[in-house]
Amino acid sequence: RRICPAPLLFEANMVSFEAPETADFAFVMLGSLYLNSIEEMHSHFDSIAASLRRGGLYFLDCCIQFADMMSPTSRSQVSHGRNGINVESTFDIRLIDPGRQIYEEVWKVSIDDNGRRHDFEMIERNKAIYPQEFLLFIDQRPDFDFVGWWQDWSFDDPITEFSTPSRPITLLRRV
C-alpha cells in the first residue's frame, strides 16, 4: 500500500520566506523562480535550506537556462477558436540588462468572445541563471549538494555538454 501524504502548499515571496514546517521535498514548477540578483538568489536558497530537513530534495523545473534565451525559439504564438470564441496567446522574452542577465517574460492573451474582446498581459522580470554560474553558486553553499540535471523530465536522459534541453530539471539535496 502506497502512502501518499497531502502536499503542504503555502503562498509566500519566493525571495525570502518561512515555511510553516520543514519538509522532505520542495518543488519549483515551470520556471517560476523569479530572482533579480545574486543577493535574492542567496536569500531564496537560505529560505529553502531552512524549509528542508537534512537529506531533503529540492527540485527545480525549468529554472536553469541551457539555451540562448533571446533565440527565436524562445518566442511562441498559439491561436485557437471554437463556437465564436477565439483565443490568441503570445509569449516573448525581452532583454533588459545584459550585464546583469536580466530579462522580462511577456505573455499576452487576447480573447474574442463572440465580438467582446478581452486582453490580458503579464510581465515578469527575472535574472537568467546559466549552468556554470549555478554550479559555482551551489558549490559555494555548505547546505546543498548538486545531484544532477536531466532533459525534458526524463531521469534516463541526463543533460550533457552536448544537450539542448527544452525543459531541464535540476535536483539538489539538503545536507
Side-chain angles (χ1 to χ4, degrees):
R1 181 174 173 220
R2 289 182 65 187
I3 298 173
C4 298
L8 171 63
L9 304 173
F10 63 97
E11 185 177 343
N13 179 330
M14 290 291 286
V15 174
S16 179
F17 62 90
E18 289 184 30
E21 59 187 75
T22 57
D24 293 317
F25 183 77
F27 177 33
V28 173
M29 294 184 255
L30 296 169
S32 59
L33 180 60
Y34 291 97
L35 306 171
N36 288 287
S37 68
I38 195 73
E39 293 80 20
E40 287 186 0
M41 198 164 155
H42 276 291
S43 179
H44 169 76
F45 275 86
D46 290 344
S47 295
I48 288 291
S51 301
L52 285 174
R53 294 182 191 100
R54 290 187 183 279
L57 298 174
Y58 184 30
F59 185 94
L60 297 105
D61 169 22
C62 210
C63 295
I64 311 302
Q65 282 75 31
F66 284 86
D68 176 10
M69 296 177 13
M70 302 312 293
S71 72
T73 59
S74 301
R75 296 159 181 83
S76 65
Q77 184 170 0
V78 176
S79 297
H80 186 73
R82 184 175 3 164
N83 299 329
I85 300 173
N86 296 300
V87 178
E88 184 176 295
S89 171
T90 59
F91 177 82
D92 199 2
I93 293 177
R94 298 189 295 223
L95 187 60
I96 301 300
D97 184 341
R100 291 180 42 231
Q101 300 167 201
I102 302 293
Y103 66 95
E104 287 180 338
E105 293 178 346
V106 181
W107 186 31
K108 297 179 182 179
V109 177
S110 295
I111 302 169
D112 180 344
D113 181 0
N114 293 289
R116 291 183 308 186
R117 188 165 175 89
H118 308 278
D119 294 308
F120 304 94
E121 181 179 71
M122 180 180 75
I123 300 174
E124 294 184 308
R125 190 169 283 203
N126 200 8
K127 176 190 183 323
I129 305 168
Y130 294 102
Q132 287 307 101
E133 174 186 19
F134 184 75
L135 290 176
L136 287 170
F137 176 82
I138 294 301
D139 192 48
Q140 293 173 0
R141 293 194 59 99
D143 46 7
F144 285 98
D145 279 338
F146 175 76
V147 176
W149 39 42
W150 295 267
Q151 299 189 66
D152 309 318
W153 280 77
S154 172
F155 287 105
D156 294 327
D157 198 0
I159 294 174
T160 68
E161 60 200 84
F162 306 107
S163 303
T164 311
S166 61
R167 189 160 175 195
I169 58 172
T170 305
L171 189 61
L172 303 174
R173 180 180 306 279
R174 172 75 166 89
V175 293

